[in-house]
Amino acid sequence: MGPAGFTRSNARERALLCVWVLCAAGLFAERLAVKSYGASDGLPSERVQRIVQDSRGFLWFATADGLSRFDGYEFANFGAAQGLPDVSVSGFLEARDGAYWLATGHGVYRLQLTPTGPIFEVVKAGPMSSPFLPSVLLQDRDGTLWCGVGSHGLFAVRHEAANKWALEPVDLQVPPPFGVITLIEDRRERGVLWIGTNVGLFRRSPNGSVEKRSGIPNYVEALLEDRGGRIWAGTRSGLFSFLAGSGAADSLRRYRESDGLASSDVKALLETADGHIWSGGLIHGITEFTPAADGGYLLRSYGRAQGLSDETIISLAEDRDGNLWAGGESGGAMKIVHRGFTTFTRADGLGADRVGAIFEDRTGDLYVSTGGPGNQLNRWNGRGFESLRFQSGQDTRGEAQAALQDQTGEWWSSRGDKLRRLGERKFERLAAAPPAAQYATAAQAGEAYVFRMFADSRGGIWVSTRCARNRISYWDRSAQELRYFSSASGAPEQLAVSFAEDRAGNIWIGLDEGGVLRYRRGHFTAIGPADGIPAGYVAALYVDHAGRLWIASANGGLGRIDSPEAEQPRVVSYTIAQGLSSNSVFSIAEDRWGRVYAGTRRGVDRLDPESGRVKRFSVADGLPRGSVSVAYQDRRGDLWFGTAQGLARMTPELEAPAPPPPVSISRLQAGNRQRFAAAPERAIELDPNDDFLQVNFSGLTFAAGEQLRYQYRLEGSNGDWSTPSEQRSVVFSSLPAGKYRLLVRAVDGSGQVSAAPAAVAFSVLPRLSERWWFRTFVLLVIAAAAWAAFRYRVAQLLAVERIRTRIATDLHDHVGASLSQIAVLSDVLRRRTSSSAAGHLEPRHFEPLERIASISREMVDSMSDIVWAISPQRDRL
């Protein structure tokens, strides 16, 4: 039926049709979960020409200003400063032996990563008559490395000798000018190459024969073979697909902008793990081809309106966590998070970006209350929002709840301090609907306004009013009147900011100054921090599928009461110590598997009450910036989160058990010198004068919400595994000389540790005084000195011995003999004198001679003792 067939009664269908038409043209405005990386984040250039994830989990970006490796946290760049002769990298490949190959504007290089840094080995290209412009690299199943050159054709890389390679030209029997732009290998036919060139698409058989595929125009810039065996060829004139091996013209399918393709100038193609085909092109962003039931595809395009930082996409890749990566011509690298958040703002029809409340009506339609000059109510129509404004009387900045639908389908709204019963059930008429009844909720209007409304299971409406003396009111359906709770009933003069009803029918109320109220049997009971309730503003209350009451506190984290009906409820607390990203919790929701989502100042934390595992989601996963103040699960199971910057939707899923996170050591810094830890098992020698050693590491995961922690152990120091921490570096100071081996492992949110720890071996060289050769030299010097001293001492002793011997000999031979001679001569003289002078001399006349002889003999005896003592032969025991 044409437009003339529409009437006022089917206005909603007309709006939905308009939305459908806009979506088919790729013009819808909801934003994807996109995280962009550019020069300010460490990427060497905003032009990303190739994206590859290697076997270790690193993402490599070939850019116009060098090669960059990304570990999820930071970029390690390889450019002119690291020895790359030409920084414009157009192709990148990890070979099966683990070597890295890159094609630049002037040659092909093999990259080796060593502890001292990268080494680029040049592949000889031979003489060329014109500029040599490698564009693409491919390794086939047989291990042959192929290089496509934009100005010369196809080459095979041949290994000539150790660390020497050369490019060998391959004759494709195509006349010049001829250049290879892109290459793929046929999945089903071993050795068959599909070659995209500036003069069309060619198929090369293993025997070297070449045939051109008809129907494909010139300048084939992207190629892909999907799981179904179809070849996709991106050209400057559209996207073409056909069955591989089939030459039938009717198998060829062409997509253009008129078919929903974002750009007919296709630069990149990718098939993701879910079987979707992605096309990136010039100017208009990317297109997603979703397989349809009839065997065709549904096309949906994304551009800047959906969060892309660049609409000219020249490279596409998918990481092992299912995230889509897009390389822009001038917008850097874009990560589109798998199962991330889709965001909505004013561009999608919201009246304002600040979200105050989310709820559903009886038919399942979703409504969002937003702030501004007068609260606004917005209805979700499946693709966008329809908005209407309630004139509230004050600018409540989105704090106040705009409207509520009770169990009968009747709508309620507020205007200032007045609770308005509209008596209207159709959304389109609410803004103009006069109130069927109106109730004052404050003693004096002034600056008072209705803050929260809550419908209980009995059909009553609970009302919180912000005013000079904050009040809690209740509209009783049976009496058709609004009554106030006084202090006699236990109601304090605090602002009620949140409501919930437990399974026993008790009403729970969260207060702005902390604590909660439980209303049962007509009386309020206060339960506060002294009873275990998290301290601070109680921003939200939620009763889960098991009947447990969850309490969100702006200062104290998350609380849980397992038995809300108990006389003395017991509270279990969750804070940063239990894994939350923040103790400021503002909202709570639950998915169909019982996992609880806590909106915090830093994003959303998903808590599994059974295991205690916490998974974090942040702006990087697509959430709007700001505190997550509102959370809601709709009837379809989707989760909605509101902030001051917009609304986000996530469809939760049960993830398959994730493999243990890989981990890698990125670099070492000893003193002022850095070492690149690319060869982890190769020992690195460190100077003993370095006063510290810092080792940086990272877990290689790009999964949404995954926050890794790390443990390390230093072998060689009798250390055990450290306590898990989010720190990605460790510093050692004053390590003694010796050999060490540092082991690092990552720990994910479920407690899984890396299957193989990252390791780096290093040795701290001993100081000069601690080295064996120095100590040996010192010992030799000491021994030589001791030997010299010994020899000198011996020489001195021998000299003394010779002197003593000479003295003893002289004393014995000369002095002793002389004394003996004196004694003998004295005796002889005495005898001669006594015989010749017999009778003339008296005996006293001979006394001198006797005395001389006696003294001489005594001196001879004494001299013998002296000679004995002096003689060296007597120096023994």
Side-chain angles (χ1 to χ4, degrees), residues 295-319:
Y297 292 91
L298 300 176
L299 277 64
R300 191 175 191 185
S301 296
Y302 307 88
R304 289 190 184 276
Q306 288 73 47
L308 299 184
S309 58
D310 192 348
E311 289 188 320
T312 294
I313 306 300
I314 57 178
S315 57
L316 291 168
E318 183 184 26
D319 65 31

Side-chain angles (χ1 to χ4, degrees), residues 334-641:
M334 291 154 274
K335 173 187 174 185
I336 303 173
V337 179
H338 180 56
R339 301 188 184 93
F341 294 84
T342 302
T343 59
F344 304 89
T345 61
R346 291 184 182 182
D348 305 287
L350 285 177
D353 289 339
R354 183 180 294 273
V355 177
I358 307 171
F359 61 95
E360 287 178 293
D361 66 13
R362 297 178 64 197
T363 63
D365 283 343
L366 183 84
Y367 293 87
V368 177
S369 173
T370 55
N375 288 342
Q376 299 165 86
L377 186 64
N378 311 269
R379 183 175 65 181
W380 172 246
N381 59 24
R383 291 293 182 180
F385 287 92
E386 306 163 69
S387 178
L388 60 83
R389 184 185 302 277
F390 290 95
Q391 297 301 322
S392 64
Q394 288 97 8
D395 178 3
T396 62
R397 295 172 297 172
E399 294 180 330
Q401 186 174 342
L404 172 75
Q405 189 182 52
D406 64 24
Q407 291 181 335
T408 68
E410 194 171 39
W411 283 94
W412 297 74
S413 71
S414 64
R415 183 168 185 176
D417 70 320
K418 303 296 191 297
L419 176 65
R420 308 174 75 197
R421 183 180 180 183
L422 299 181
E424 178 60 58
R425 285 174 166 77
K426 288 188 177 295
F427 170 79
E428 296 83 358
R429 302 174 182 173
L430 290 181
Q438 188 166 273
Y439 308 90
T441 63
Q444 295 181 345
E447 295 298 319
Y449 61 89
V450 172
F451 187 74
R452 286 287 180 270
M453 295 177 281
F454 174 75
D456 64 19
S457 59
R458 302 175 182 86
I461 307 296
W462 293 78
V463 182
S464 164
T465 306
R466 179 187 284 277
C467 54
R469 301 178 65 183
N470 297 317
R471 304 181 71 169
I472 300 174
S473 310
Y474 180 71
W475 183 78
D476 191 330
R477 180 171 295 276
S478 60
Q480 296 286 301
E481 65 178 7
L482 185 76
R483 69 171 186 267
Y484 312 114
F485 291 100
S486 65
S487 57
S489 62
E493 290 186 359
Q494 292 189 45
L495 180 65
V497 295
S498 52
F499 291 86
E501 182 177 7
D502 64 25
R503 288 182 174 179
N506 303 316
I507 302 299
W508 292 79
I509 303 172
L511 304 175
D512 66 336
E513 295 180 16
V516 297
L517 299 176
R518 180 174 60 180
Y519 181 78
R520 62 175 179 176
R521 305 186 187 99
H523 196 273
F524 291 98
T525 302
I527 305 173
D531 305 299
I533 300 296
Y537 182 98
V538 179
L541 297 170
Y542 181 81
V543 178
D544 67 13
H545 73 285
R548 297 172 295 197
L549 177 68
W550 294 83
I551 304 167
S553 166
N555 302 106
L558 194 61
R560 189 190 77 205
I561 298 177
D562 292 338
S563 301
E565 68 282 356
E567 192 66 31
Q568 295 292 332
R570 178 177 173 271
V571 183
V572 178
S573 296
Y574 297 89
T575 63
I576 292 175
Q578 285 72 43
L580 294 185
S581 62
S582 171
N583 285 339
S584 298
V585 182
F586 302 102
S587 58
I588 308 170
E590 179 188 22
D591 66 22
R592 66 187 66 183
W593 295 281
R595 298 174 298 188
V596 173
Y597 293 74
T600 74
R601 198 180 299 279
R602 300 180 61 183
V604 173
D605 291 346
R606 188 183 72 190
L607 168 66
D608 187 341
E610 303 303 322
S611 64
R613 177 187 176 187
V614 176
K615 188 171 185 177
R616 304 174 187 175
F617 301 91
S618 65
V619 175
D621 304 302
L623 270 174
R625 297 186 181 277
S627 301
V628 181
S629 57
V630 186
Y632 184 79
Q633 181 196 20
D634 66 24
R635 298 184 187 183
R636 291 171 295 276
D638 289 344
L639 294 173
W640 298 79
F641 301 94

Side-chain angles (χ1 to χ4, degrees), residues 100-162:
Y100 300 111
W101 297 81
L102 53 154
T104 74
H106 293 88
V108 176
Y109 302 92
R110 185 175 185 267
L111 170 61
Q112 282 190 320
L113 299 178
T114 69
T116 55
I119 297 176
F120 295 94
E121 300 168 349
V122 182
V123 179
K124 291 196 309 181
M128 294 292 175
S129 59
S130 60
F132 185 68
L133 302 172
S135 58
V136 64
L137 294 166
L138 170 73
Q139 187 176 39
D140 63 22
R141 290 195 290 272
D142 294 328
T144 303
L145 192 65
W146 302 90
C147 175
V149 180
S151 57
H152 287 84
L154 183 65
F155 290 78
V157 181
R158 302 299 183 195
H159 189 198
E160 292 185 333

Side-chain angles (χ1 to χ4, degrees), residues 161-181:
N163 298 328
K164 290 185 178 180
W165 291 264
L167 295 179
E168 179 180 297
V170 178
D171 185 11
L172 295 178
Q173 305 168 5
V174 180
F178 175 71
V180 173
I181 305 173

